Amino acid sequence: MSGLPGAGTSPSLGEASDLKFPLGAKFREPLTEARFQRLFGDAEQAPELLAEPRSSRLCRRWRRLASACSGPGAWRLLRARLPPLRWLPHYRWRAWLLGDAVAGVTVGIVHVPQGMAFALLTSVPPVFGLYTSFFPVLIYTLLGTGRHLSTGTFAVLSLMTGSAVERLVPEPLGGNLSGIEREQLDAQRVGSAAALAFGSGALMLGMFALQLGVLSTFLSEPVVKALTSGAALHVLVSQLPSLLGLPLPRQIGCFSLFKTLAAVLTALPRSSPAELTISALSLALLVPVKELNVRFRDKLPTPIPGEIVMVLLASVLCFTSSLDTRYNVQIVGLLPGGFPQPHLPDLAELPRILADSLPIALVTFAVSASLASIYADKYSYTIDSNQELLAHGISNLISSLFSCFPNSATLATTSLLVDAGGNTQLAGLFSCIVVLSVLLWLGPFFYYLPKAVLACINISSMRQMFFQMQELPQLWRISRMDFAVWMVTWVAVVILSVDLGLAVGVVFSMMTVVCRTQRVQCLALGLAEGTELYRPLEESHKLLKVPGLCILRYPTPLYFGTRGQFRRILEWHLGLGEGRKETPKLDGPPDAVAEPVRVVVLDCSGITFADAAGAREVVQLARRCRDAGIHLLLAQCNGESLSAGDTDPGRTLGQSDPRAAVCECPGRSCSCPGETGAYRSKDLHSVGLTRSFGVWRAPTICARGVSSLHVTNKTKLRATGVHEVSLGIHTPALGVPFSMPAALQRHN
């Protein structure tokens, strides 16, 4: 604004001496709306734009809906819901096809043993892990927006599903089941797991219909990482009986981790030496291979498939040595060929599994959306969170018809896909081809695979989740609050359970946000020497306090939880009541409020919303300022958090009043509300509480020659001490919260 005509004008000598401005300081003339329109445009254009009739808005909305039903509109909708129609025409066949093929085959090879291993974690036969590694991957390839995302079986979801399945279909106390009884028990558990997938998929589709993709933001990064790290410890402890060959029942509910440890230590003398040896050899091979893949990921053309190598070696060793008959080693057994018959899960189970489906749906979406966002930012493309809800919802819903359990994006295979050179969702098709070949032809080769090897694969796949704890020292240095959220979530997951720990983490994370709004730093501003800039008083000692003027900035929402803090801060700064004594540690030096305050300007740009309690607090503040002879001005108010009725101390909340923002303006007449029902003035030389709890929706707020300020028709604040005020709101991060040439003169 310094380049505008008249910018070099300055107040008279008398005014400057009254305000103790530094000599030589130049001040620009306040830019009113009338002056702005006179310099830059027609003053009648803005009212015409604001006065758009409601009928035209309805017609425009109707045309938009009608265009969606047309041919081009239907094509746009189809392209939005089927992402391959967008990226496949631009696919770089020569540059990307080989990378997608190699990455897809590599991930498919890992999906085979990992799917069978996570099926055991879900308490269902291994073949259903292969089904879950095929159908969801195929569906996500058609509907997902994450180009580098690999879906399928996930350890955390398998653990949560397995706990629910064990509770819904518990194993008989005796434990000695015949073959037919074991098959019936497995069929019931498969049905319960499929019902959980159906329920979680239906919930995600409901979230998509309500456009609730924004809910992923409520699961912060510390919560997700602590959840996965704590779940990894649960996976490790739950696989100890399989590593040691102990036929122990699975512990569920709170303190299940400690119950499992106690049961393992009690039964340790009965462990199987053969399975213990197989487990030790498997871990001795898998862990170094994982470490080599991480350290030499840039030099290796493709990661070493340690899982499939271990599976083949263990199967050959068990077959040649007859470990299953000689040492009673538990093996996978026959994998049925082909696909199961599609059928609906037992809908009678839905009411029972609803409480378990909700956390599964939230974890599915949170992990998948966070992983997709990480790689989208890395490779410069965007994802649609609502489309991700649709993709994972349909994936779980349709795959449940084929007896699959809940699935989501996976940390290990997504990282493997990127390291192997994957570029698009087309890699998922090559992964499906590998799993399909196992289901149709290669299944019998896994007959002699020891289940202890699958347990070792489960444990080795938790490597990334365990190493997330290495970030804790850095998190402590960056944010102590995020560190506390991480630790509380992790402890809750480990001690209680995964689903309860998730609930505790989300609630605690939300509570930290609420508590942060209570720790408010209300900034008092002063005039920087030799300039016209107003800065926080605590930043420098070379700031001048304009006598009788107090400028405050309140940077937090004003609601029932912060109204008390708001009252105490304003009382301290304005010297009202006993508030100054109650809050000794506030911004600004002690002498900032030593002189009596005649005018207070409250910058409300940081008040993003206000509820009814906050509105009443503003009314009470106006009353107290009136009684104390202080003139209250509100600046840069946002949104429509408070209506005119909210600021009337003598009327019910929500009741409108056309005289809620009356001002008496000298000079050129303005369109004050009066009896006309208008809520805004053409000229920015009037200040009052308007319909949207604001002054003016403009970057420059002026109060020039205000002789009277009305909050409502019943509360009248005399502002005769204000001669000229001009506020230009700037970015606080730049250190220039206000640029304010001000002149206060004493009225005779």
Side-chain angles (χ1 to χ4, degrees), residues 321-381:
S321 304
S322 301
L323 297 180
D324 57 326
T325 56
R326 296 173 58 184
Y327 298 102
N328 198 24
V329 173
Q330 299 181 16
I331 60 175
V332 170
L334 181 64
L335 295 179
F339 298 104
Q341 292 292 331
H343 64 278
L344 275 174
D346 188 5
L347 299 182
E349 294 285 336
L350 291 181
R352 298 176 58 196
I353 56 91
L354 185 61
D356 298 296
S357 299
L358 181 59
I360 289 176
L362 292 178
V363 172
T364 298
F365 178 55
V367 172
S368 302
S370 61
L371 270 179
S373 299
I374 289 173
Y375 288 100
D377 295 340
K378 183 177 180 180
Y379 292 97
S380 303
Y381 63 91

Side-chain angles (χ1 to χ4, degrees), residues 163 167 234 250-261 491-501 504:
S163 300
R167 188 183 70 255
H234 275 277
R250 185 169 180 170
Q251 303 292 334
I252 59 175
C254 298
F255 312 106
S256 59
L257 186 143
F258 305 102
K259 295 177 183 177
T260 303
L261 282 176
V491 171
V493 169
V494 170
I495 294 179
L496 301 177
S497 62
V498 177
D499 48 355
L500 291 179
V504 171

Side-chain angles (χ1 to χ4, degrees), residues 106 150 352 361 371 425 478 553 571 641 645 739:
T106 303
S150 175
R352 298 176 58 196
L371 270 179
Q425 296 95 318
I478 295 175
R553 181 176 183 270
E571 286 177 349
S641 300
S739 175

